[in-house]
Amino acid sequence: MTPTKTRAAIAGVYEHPTRFAPDKSEWLLMAEACRGAIQDAGLRPEQIDAFFTSATAPEGGWLGACASVMAADYLNIHPRFIDETDVGGASFGYYVNRAVMGIEAGLFKCALIAYGATTKSLGVNVGTVRYDDLTGQRISPMPDAFEQVYGTTVTSFMGLLTQRYMHDYGLTSEQLAHVAVTMREHAALNPDAAHRKPLTVEDVLSSPVIASPLHKFDCCIISDGAAALLVVHRDLLPECAKPPVWLAGFGESIMHHEGGLGDWAAESREMVRRACRQAFDMAGVGPADIDTAMIYDAFTVNVVIDLEGAGFCGVGDGGAFVADGQLKLDGGSLPTNPDGGGLSSNHPGRRGIFLFVEATRQLRGEADGRQVPGAETAMCTATGAAFLARRGSAAHILTR
Amino acid sequence: MLTADPTYWPQPEVSGETRPFWEACGRGEFLLQRCDGCGKFQYPYRGFCCHCWAGQPRDVPSTGRGTVWSYSVVRRNRSRDTAPSRTSSWSSSWRRASGSSPT
């Protein structure tokens, strides 16, 4: 099936090649990415009339409160529409959604979505410190006081979730290891990727346990990085330098603790399913129509849950799907994260924006050395967390 | 294992809304709440019923028995004041008691 299209398309993308930039600020990395995206699109900065960014402080920099106005000041742009909705690493998917909504509503025509972070340079242990230590804030009476007092970290939450997913669906550590191995194989084809040395299943399983059952190589890397996207109204496309990548469908959904009664494991998958169903329905396509997927791999288990939620395989079949090599560029039925993903290429803290950059490169046929042959339709799925199981997913169908 | 040593573990901030929970902890009780309107349990402690927004949540001391829903042993914790290799676990006796437990 050929996807239907909205009036919005990605006209420009840029991923900063750096993975470690101690001599730059995250503000400057973001500005360099914005410059790259506007040049890629063949547009001019003064055409930007909507701006979306995410606070990076304190996990990835100093951009904190009122992030979008502060960053607009630094970039010296004059958007009439701003947004900085915070759903952790999935935020950028929400920005794409809001950009499409605003374009469809006639509010603006040229939306800049930007991100930069110097998490590695700042030495922030994002996944292995308590949230109050990460944010530098006191432990709030609600809900942190009920959670942080146990020394909870981001990785320990994912450990709890993974342990339960294994219990309920038979997922194994060895199956998860295949996700990390495949991402590393893909990263070897990406000259910008941070980690390109081959990895084996045994390497993953023998790596230190961070929070059981998650090993070191089940967890995304920490890097610096930046990226920018330009989402434009189709009226602007005649001015653009590159062929458009159309937004065909988008969805989003959140989950939380349900007053304490929620099943985090099943609900994590159902949240993805709700977001993906909205995106598929809007685009008029299904999982079988997707040529390549960009799945936010903060942890290996995220990929399994998203595959099952999106319907690329059945519930409980995600482990076998990844162990069978279905994510591989080389022979897989669903080549996933050809750039190496957050597990091997880059992860400055909120990785959602990079999914759109790689999807655009793939659909333009620009992914030298790691091109999915003939890719026409791509899907992006991302899940980000406020903390623990208060999370949000975004899903997108893109087509050329 | 948790320790009471405040140099190792962060202490909870207490508000007027959550004070009854922490005072109960001081008496050796772990409080759940059950709504006198809809009958559902909730946790963490809060001043209204998040399920029906109508009834009044009543304090219910837990029995101390329950089923572990999941666990994770945190081998790497680099928080400023948290000793490494502590265990983080989460038990859910109240889920089962609520009657709407997934387990």
Side-chain angles (χ1 to χ4, degrees):
Chain A
M1 296 275 288
T2 303
T4 57
K5 297 165 182 172
T6 68
R7 280 184 279 266
I10 296 175
V13 295
Y14 187 82
E15 176 186 319
H16 205 297
T18 192
R19 300 298 186 262
F20 184 58
D23 296 332
K24 295 185 177 183
S25 68
E26 89 279 13
W27 302 64
L28 179 55
L29 291 182
M30 177 168 68
E32 290 175 350
C34 292
R35 182 173 59 195
I38 203 89
Q39 288 174 350
D40 184 57
L43 297 171
R44 302 181 310 281
E46 56 269 28
Q47 291 177 280
I48 295 163
D49 55 4
F51 179 58
F52 303 78
T53 196
S54 175
T56 57
E59 90 275 10
W62 302 94
L63 180 58
C66 303
S68 52
V69 176
M70 298 302 286
D73 169 68
Y74 179 79
L75 296 166
N76 194 22
I77 55 175
H78 301 87
R80 73 180 85 151
F81 187 100
I82 57 165
D83 184 43
E84 56 200 74
T85 299
D86 186 351
V87 201
S91 299
F92 300 94
Y94 284 67
Y95 302 155
V96 170
N97 295 359
R98 279 140 189 74
V100 178
M101 293 177 208
I103 287 169
E104 289 280 354
L107 299 176
F108 49 81
K109 289 195 171 176
C110 185
L112 173 65
I113 301 172
Y115 174 63
T118 50
T119 314
K120 186 175 177 69
S121 294
L122 293 170
V124 180
N125 296 307
V126 180
T128 49
V129 294
R130 289 192 320 268
Y131 198 55
D132 59 293
D133 201 9
L134 188 62
T135 62
Q137 294 175 346
R138 290 196 309 170
I139 295 174
S140 66
M142 173 64 74
D144 295 356
F146 295 92
E147 297 161 5
Q148 300 306 307
V149 291
Y150 304 108
T152 316
T153 66
V154 170
T155 313
S156 75
F157 161 66
M158 292 305 295
L160 289 171
L161 176 62
T162 307
Q163 190 77 60
R164 183 68 196 192
Y165 218 83
M166 289 175 163
H167 174 270
D168 286 349
Y169 304 107
L171 180 67
T172 68
S173 288
E174 184 177 357
Q175 289 172 332
L176 288 177
H178 281 274
V179 177
V181 169
T182 300
M183 293 308 106
R184 186 61 62 89
E185 286 174 8
H186 294 174
L189 306 172
N190 177 3
D192 291 334
H195 296 280
R196 305 177 67 200
K197 192 178 137 200
L199 196 64
T200 66
V201 168
E202 183 52 38
D203 290 337
V204 178
L205 297 178
S206 61
S207 65
V209 172
I210 306 300
S212 69
L214 297 172
H215 298 82
K216 172 183 169 182
F217 290 121
D218 286 306
C219 308
C220 63
I221 64 167
I222 292 175
S223 71
D224 295 345
L229 314 173
L230 282 159
V231 180
V232 306
H233 192 287
R234 64 186 179 192
D235 289 352
L236 285 185
L237 290 175
E239 296 179 47
C240 294
K242 298 267 182 78
V245 168
W246 295 95
L247 272 304
F250 62 84
E252 60 188 58
S253 185
I254 68 163
M255 64 175 283
H256 52 63
H257 293 190
E258 310 279 348
L261 305 180
D263 176 350
W264 296 358
E267 179 60 9
S268 290
R269 182 188 64 246
E270 293 308 306
M271 170 180 63
V272 175
R273 185 184 308 283
R274 290 190 295 270
C276 290
R277 181 172 296 149
Q278 183 184 330
F280 280 132
D281 288 350
M282 194 183 298
V285 298
D289 299 304
I290 302 303
D291 300 315
T292 179
M294 310 301 146
I295 300 178
Y296 189 163
D297 53 343
F299 297 88
T300 50
V301 71
N302 291 95
V303 175
V304 170
I305 291 173
D306 281 18
L307 288 167
E308 296 181 5
F312 290 114
C313 61
V315 172
D317 296 335
F321 188 89
V322 300
D324 195 36
Q326 300 302 330
L327 306 182
K328 289 177 185 286
L329 262 173
D330 183 11
S333 61
L334 185 74
T336 297
N337 299 347
D339 64 344
L343 290 166
S344 283
S345 178
N346 61 346
H347 196 295
R350 299 177 174 215
R351 192 174 190 274
I353 193 168
F354 298 101
L355 307 178
F356 296 94
V357 178
E358 179 66 4
T360 299
R361 289 188 292 228
Q362 289 289 336
L363 295 176
R364 286 176 176 173
E366 291 180 344
D368 293 338
R370 60 177 192 278
Q371 179 66 45
V372 177
E376 294 185 356
T377 302
M379 183 159 200
C380 300
T381 65
T383 295
F387 204 75
L388 288 178
R390 305 171 190 95
R391 316 168 78 206
S393 287
H396 297 80
I397 312 290
L398 299 100
T399 191
R400 68 184 190 190
Chain B
M1 283 292 292
L2 298 181
T3 168
D5 182 347
T7 62
Y8 282 107
W9 292 96
Q11 296 300 295
E13 295 287 337
V14 177
S15 68
E17 181 185 8
T18 62
R19 181 165 290 112
F21 177 86
W22 297 110
E23 287 179 349
C25 287
R27 299 191 301 269
E29 287 183 352
F30 187 95
L31 285 189
L32 307 172
Q33 293 171 295
R34 187 169 203 175
C35 177
D36 65 8
C38 70
K40 287 186 176 172
F41 280 83
Q42 71 177 13
Y43 179 85
Y45 199 90
R46 65 198 90 181
F48 77 112
C49 173
C50 71
H51 300 294
C52 70
W53 290 12
Q56 184 62 36
R58 306 292 179 192
D59 292 351
V60 181
S62 66
T63 64
R65 293 191 306 274
T67 304
V68 174
W69 185 79
S70 190
Y71 68 95
S72 178
V73 180
V74 183
R75 298 288 184 188
R76 293 287 186 279
N77 192 328
R78 297 191 172 94
S79 304
R80 285 163 301 183
D81 53 359
T82 300
S85 301
R86 298 287 176 177
T87 302
S88 171
S89 66
W90 186 57
S91 152
S92 61
S93 55
W94 48 278
R95 284 169 176 271
R96 183 150 290 185
S98 76
S100 59
S101 162
T103 57

